[in-house]
Amino acid sequence: MDAVETRLTTIMTSHVGQTGGLITALRSAQAAFGYLPPETDAVAAEAFNLSRAEIKGVISFYADFHRAPKGRTVVRLCAAEACQAAGGRTLQAAVEKHYALKSGETSASNDLTVEPVYCLGLCSCAPAAMVGDKLVGRADVDRIAQAVDREKETDA
Ligand code: FES
């Protein structure tokens, strides 16, 4: 058992028997590693006496779980109906061009991820985005770029 499996086993077994233990364990693992490493499925299946397919199903059901590390700053562009009607696709294309990243990708330097999200609860200010944990209403490329710069300054 390597170091990742050992750490995952410790995390998983500490939540066995709890109500909602699997979700809590997966959230803890993601907090520990920044994402869910490939070994997660097997370790969680063993700990919770479930199949790997069941674990995979749970992980893929929840959009908050991710299988690869994300960038230090994450730009989420709303792809739901109200934002699409207010120019969301045009905004997505402009942001992708500005950062030379397709939605769902992380930059090679690992400083930025651009990804879709399905409603941020800011429909009245569509198109909406989220940069880190900050909402951006009536988003355009300039406002998103300013929010990204602020986020990077905060991290520095
Ligand atoms: S549809 Fe985009 S914030 Fe609700």
Side-chain angles (χ1 to χ4, degrees):
M1 189 180 290
D2 67 17
V4 170
E5 290 173 325
T6 301
R7 195 165 174 204
L8 279 169
T9 299
T10 301
I11 292 168
M12 294 298 156
T13 54
S14 71
H15 296 286
V16 169
Q18 296 176 353
T19 302
L22 175 60
I23 299 295
T24 306
L26 292 171
R27 291 174 63 96
S28 296
Q30 186 162 281
F33 292 96
Y35 70 106
L36 293 174
E39 298 90 336
T40 303
D41 301 47
V43 173
E46 173 77 24
F48 287 92
N49 197 25
L50 295 167
S51 71
R52 289 184 193 195
E54 288 170 307
I55 300 297
K56 190 176 288 221
V58 169
I59 292 171
S60 62
F61 182 78
Y62 292 99
D64 280 347
F65 291 132
H66 45 274
R67 296 284 199 170
K70 290 195 179 185
R72 285 180 286 282
T73 299
V74 178
V75 175
R76 295 180 173 90
L77 301 172
C78 182
E81 196 171 320
C83 288
Q84 293 299 298
R89 280 186 221 282
T90 303
L91 174 63
Q92 178 186 330
V95 170
E96 288 178 345
K97 184 177 179 190
H98 184 79
Y99 290 108
L101 275 180
K102 291 285 183 198
S103 185
E105 289 181 349
T106 296
S107 62
S109 60
N110 208 36
D111 66 340
L112 190 74
T113 295
V114 177
E115 64 182 18
V117 67
Y118 296 92
C119 196
L120 292 162
L122 204 60
C123 317
S124 62
C125 296
M130 190 170 206
V131 176
D133 61 357
K134 306 281 188 313
L135 289 167
V136 181
R138 305 197 200 293
D140 60 22
V141 173
D142 290 341
R143 297 191 69 204
I144 289 173
Q146 288 167 7
V148 167
D149 291 345
R150 280 194 299 273
E151 191 76 12
K152 287 180 179 174
E153 287 169 13
T154 305
D155 286 349

